[in-house]
Amino acid sequence: MRSLRILIATHSPLSAKFGAGQMAINLAEAFRAQGHDVTLWSPYPMPNMTRWWQGFQSIQLMRKKLDEFLETQEPFDVIDCYAAFITKQVSKSGLVVARSVQPDILYIASNLNNIKNKGLKDTVLLPFNYLFAMANILLLLQGWRRAKYIFCLGSLELQWMKKCFPWWINKMIFYNNALSKADQIELAKVRLNRKKNQEEGTRFLWIGRWTAHKGIKELVDFIVKRAALYPQDIFTIAGCGTSVEEDFSFELIQSGRVKIVPSFERSQIYSILANHDIGLFTSRVEGWGLVLNEMLESGMPVFAKSAGGVIDLQLFFKDMLKTFPPPLLQLFDEPIKSMCMDNYYNTFSWKKIAENYIKFIVNKN
């Protein structure tokens, strides 16, 4: 196979701290390992746009920056980018793949629904939010129309896209998300060294931003009910920011039964996983939820709602990936089971993802 000249344009800063940026970096490394010439591009740094009306302006500026960048470049064989970035200039500069990193329209709908339930100020601004949401959706639709192929993140998003946009079925496919090889090595150490919890209670772990679409209402409801039945249990909420305490009683926070870790360094994820027994994943809408991979690869059973990558991971973790919420009246003291991860690693690795990506494009052309 000849070497391809590939541009990966992400709307995220190029850092492993950000999901889309992390995915772009991992995909680029996998393509380069295959011998392809890869350029990674991001519109950052960007001006600080925090006002409610500036979201659409931000996307427009990113599109303009990408157009200007392409004007300085020779044509690419493949341009992999966010659907809303696909201008006429982009569509003429190579074979364009609109690669999804999250179900944008579902996120927009979830955010609008959340705004409706807020205060008077948000209600007054709701018509303007609807207007900006429609503008963003139109950019996405325009990008999908111009793209040669549409790569959905996970089979769940592919199902939704096929149902809503059947006229684009022939150019749709899905890809998996995966951790970097370095992360997988470290998590294998956690898994192999995991021991049965010797403490009296169960240590539950939830990781994510504290926003409505992450299912925080359902999470709080479970914690309050479970804590009333099992006073010895511990619930850690990590990577959540600083507003979590408002949703729990003073007693649960003060007693240490609900532990809040507003943020943590990437290197700390391994010890956090090692020191907990059960993972919780409550998202109503999710791109993938890479925390699922992290928890499962660390040997931790997870109770999850059917969102993001849950359906795809279920095939490989039938005994470990269960439906949220956990049974309220069950004690979780199952012995650690040995796990064969070969089939999982053969599917959920960036090497395999990149191979499938290029194979699909080559076979289609």
Side-chain angles (χ1 to χ4, degrees):
M1 184 186 299
R2 72 182 181 90
S3 174
L4 299 176
R5 189 162 182 263
I6 302 173
L7 171 66
I8 299 177
T10 177
H11 56 304
S12 161
L14 289 172
S15 167
K17 293 180 180 179
F18 303 93
Q22 181 184 142
M23 292 168 72
I25 292 168
N26 288 332
L27 183 58
E29 289 179 354
F31 281 151
R32 286 172 183 146
Q34 293 179 350
H36 301 296
D37 178 13
V38 184
T39 300
L40 264 175
W41 180 90
S42 167
Y44 285 83
M46 288 280 290
N48 189 21
M49 292 185 172
T50 57
R51 301 293 184 181
W52 60 269
W53 66 83
Q54 292 178 317
F56 187 69
Q57 287 180 311
S58 178
I59 290 292
Q60 293 288 11
L61 178 57
M62 291 180 178
R63 285 161 58 91
K64 183 171 181 276
K65 282 189 169 191
L66 180 55
D67 278 352
E68 291 172 348
F69 171 76
L70 287 170
E71 286 173 0
T72 69
Q73 304 293 307
E74 294 295 321
F76 289 90
D77 295 307
V78 178
I79 297 176
D80 172 294
C81 69
Y82 177 45
F85 280 5
I86 305 175
T87 62
K88 287 183 180 179
Q89 171 77 17
V90 172
S91 66
K92 293 176 182 177
S93 301
L95 184 156
V96 179
V97 174
R99 183 172 55 84
S100 172
V101 297
Q102 63 185 32
D104 291 283
I105 293 178
L106 293 178
Y107 271 4
I108 289 170
S110 177
N111 289 336
L112 288 174
N113 185 61
N114 188 42
I115 289 170
K116 283 194 291 187
N117 299 322
K118 289 192 174 181
L120 178 61
K121 178 182 176 182
D122 293 295
T123 302
V124 170
L125 295 176
L126 190 59
F128 298 100
N129 282 292
Y130 273 113
L131 181 63
F132 295 139
M134 286 306 301
N136 284 328
I137 288 172
L138 287 173
L139 288 181
L140 291 167
L141 295 175
Q142 185 184 71
W144 287 328
R145 178 178 61 81
R146 288 174 172 163
K148 179 74 172 178
Y149 302 115
I150 300 170
F151 278 40
C152 303
L153 181 54
S155 62
L156 191 63
E157 186 182 23
L158 178 64
Q159 291 172 21
W160 184 84
M161 286 285 288
K162 284 183 174 181
K163 179 181 177 181
C164 295
F165 309 106
W167 49 90
W168 289 327
I169 281 178
N170 290 334
K171 61 180 181 180
M172 291 182 189
I173 193 173
F174 81 90
Y175 73 106
N176 295 313
N177 202 351
L179 297 168
S180 69
K181 186 65 176 176
D183 278 336
Q184 290 186 328
I185 290 171
E186 290 302 317
L187 289 170
K189 294 177 185 176
V190 175
R191 182 176 69 252
L192 294 172
N193 290 312
R194 184 175 287 279
K195 296 180 174 61
K196 184 177 177 181
N197 179 20
Q198 299 300 315
E199 298 181 17
E200 187 178 356
T202 301
R203 301 167 299 179
F204 292 92
L205 175 65
W206 186 94
I207 300 175
R209 291 182 294 116
W210 200 247
T211 57
H213 76 265
K214 295 284 189 181
I216 58 175
K217 183 178 181 298
E218 294 88 336
L219 175 69
V220 172
D221 182 64
F222 166 73
I223 290 176
V224 170
K225 290 178 179 177
R226 175 79 189 187
L229 293 170
Y230 295 94
Q232 66 273 32
D233 285 352
I234 299 295
F235 308 88
T236 299
I237 301 172
C240 53
T242 57
S243 62
V244 183
E245 292 189 14
E246 301 169 7
D247 293 303
F248 290 98
S249 68
F250 176 79
E251 179 189 358
L252 280 176
I253 301 291
Q254 190 68 15
S255 66
R257 294 171 62 198
V258 172
K259 296 182 177 180
I260 298 170
V261 183
S263 63
F264 56 88
E265 294 298 321
R266 179 66 192 166
S267 59
Q268 294 177 282
I269 186 65
Y270 313 120
S271 60
I272 290 173
L273 292 166
N275 290 317
H276 289 85
D277 311 307
I278 302 288
L280 302 173
F281 182 81
T282 57
S283 293
R284 302 170 190 166
V285 181
E286 190 62 69
W288 179 272
L290 205 54
V291 67
L292 285 166
N293 299 64
E294 292 168 342
M295 289 176 172
L296 292 165
E297 288 189 34
S298 77
M300 180 187 295
V302 180
F303 287 88
K305 298 187 98 179
S306 185
V310 169
I311 291 176
D312 301 299
L313 290 165
Q314 184 75 58
L315 297 172
F316 298 85
F317 296 98
K318 293 179 181 177
D319 295 329
M320 293 185 64
L321 191 51
K322 307 173 185 181
T323 302
F324 180 90
L328 282 174
L329 298 176
Q330 180 176 328
L331 290 171
F332 299 99
D333 57 354
E334 298 178 11
I336 303 300
K337 300 175 183 177
S338 61
M339 299 167 57
C340 179
M341 299 284 286
D342 292 345
N343 289 336
Y344 169 81
Y345 287 136
N346 287 336
T347 302
F348 295 91
S349 72
W350 283 103
K351 178 178 182 291
K352 188 64 175 178
I353 293 166
E355 287 174 356
N356 291 341
Y357 187 122
I358 298 300
K359 188 183 298 181
F360 175 81
I361 290 176
V362 170
N363 289 343
K364 283 281 190 176
N365 292 279

